[in-house]
Amino acid sequence: MKITTAENDIQEILYSEETIKARVVELAKQLSVDYNGLDPLFVCVLKGASFFYADLCRLMSCRIFMDFIAVSSYESNAKSTGVVRIIKDLDKNITGKHVLIVEDIIDTGLTLAYLKDLLGARKPASVKTISLLQKDIPRPREIHPDYLGFRMGSQFVVGYGLDYSDYYRNLPYIGILKPETYS
Ligand code: PRP
């Protein structure tokens, strides 16, 4: 029987499990200082950010609240339009709360820009953003997350929550797919 493993489809590991862990520890330390005493609400943008979010939250030393939002971007000819549909909204009102939106990757930046505007309009005390990855590419509207894990190239990456056709999210590292996997 041929055994198919996700690892066989990976060409190169870009960020190892250890490298990711070390950076998430640093980010959590910084956030624990910055949000100490503020009881912030950390918002996970499903599904891609789920691994980063879980690791980040469990490393926080100050009190936090947790909530989840799921969005889907409308695409036209496989290009993101910047219009985002809410599939699952937050459970609770965020008025007066210190909100941190937790993303896995900024590609075009349209999702994070949309979410920042959306949640910002609900009158939180503050709304900031963190992304594990940001692609170093030109974008129509530049976006600067308040906290960033790694600035990367323009490669298509999977693992640690990131997917290709919903596969590979469970890889413990972030890697580049072999071209033949998606051609
Ligand atoms: C991915 C990723 C970000 C968004 C970034 O989500 O998790 O949310 O795309 O792209 P952008 O900067 O071009 O807007 P996706 O819509 O693929 O859903 P998923 O998180 O469920 O994988």
Side-chain angles (χ1 to χ4, degrees), residues 85-101:
R85 182 166 59 100
I86 304 289
I87 296 169
K88 184 225 166 283
D89 206 338
L90 299 176
D91 288 344
K92 295 213 172 119
N93 193 313
I94 60 167
T95 304
K97 293 221 176 299
H98 291 280
V99 174
L100 181 73
I101 305 172

Side-chain angles (χ1 to χ4, degrees), residues 135-146:
K135 284 193 178 178
D136 210 0
I137 53 169
R139 7 189 108 72
R141 175 178 162 188
E142 197 43 75
I143 183 157
H144 302 282
D146 297 283

Side-chain angles (χ1 to χ4, degrees), residues 14-157:
L14 210 52
Y15 300 106
S16 69
E17 218 176 328
E18 296 72 28
T19 302
I20 296 168
K21 175 78 195 280
R23 187 70 185 115
V24 177
V25 166
E26 285 175 358
L27 290 167
K29 270 193 190 144
Q30 184 64 54
L31 289 168
S32 296
V33 171
D34 294 354
Y35 281 102
N36 187 34
L38 297 179
D39 291 352
L41 173 71
F42 280 19
V43 172
C44 176
V45 185
L46 295 169
K47 304 175 203 166
S50 52
F51 284 53
F52 176 43
Y53 181 80
D55 287 346
L56 189 68
C57 287
R58 90 182 79 189
L59 287 164
M60 290 295 295
S61 59
C62 69
R63 289 194 311 197
I64 62 165
F65 295 104
M66 296 169 69
D67 206 344
F68 301 81
I69 195 164
V71 296
S72 152
S73 58
Y74 286 110
E75 293 188 350
S76 167
N77 297 330
K79 283 191 104 179
S80 183
T81 58
V83 181
V84 173
R85 182 166 59 100
I86 304 289
I87 296 169
K88 184 225 166 283
D89 206 338
L90 299 176
D91 288 344
K92 295 213 172 119
N93 193 313
I94 60 167
T95 304
K97 293 221 176 299
H98 291 280
V99 174
L100 181 73
I101 305 172
V102 182
E103 259 288 23
D104 53 331
I105 190 165
I106 298 172
D107 190 350
T108 64
L110 293 169
T111 305
L112 196 53
Y114 177 88
L115 284 173
K116 195 171 181 193
D117 288 348
L118 179 86
L119 300 188
R122 297 181 185 180
K123 302 193 167 43
S126 67
V127 56
K128 292 191 172 177
T129 57
I130 180 169
S131 182
L132 180 63
L133 303 170
Q134 179 166 15
K135 284 193 178 178
D136 210 0
I137 53 169
R139 7 189 108 72
R141 175 178 162 188
E142 197 43 75
I143 183 157
H144 302 282
D146 297 283
Y147 303 90
L148 179 65
F150 304 102
R151 190 173 293 281
M152 58 171 285
S154 58
Q155 307 99 317
F156 184 80
V157 285

Side-chain angles (χ1 to χ4, degrees), residues 4-12 158 168 176-179 181:
T4 52
T5 69
E7 304 227 342
N8 286 342
D9 298 339
I10 299 300
Q11 178 172 283
E12 181 193 337
V158 296
Y168 309 111
I176 301 170
L177 272 184
K178 289 178 182 165
T181 307

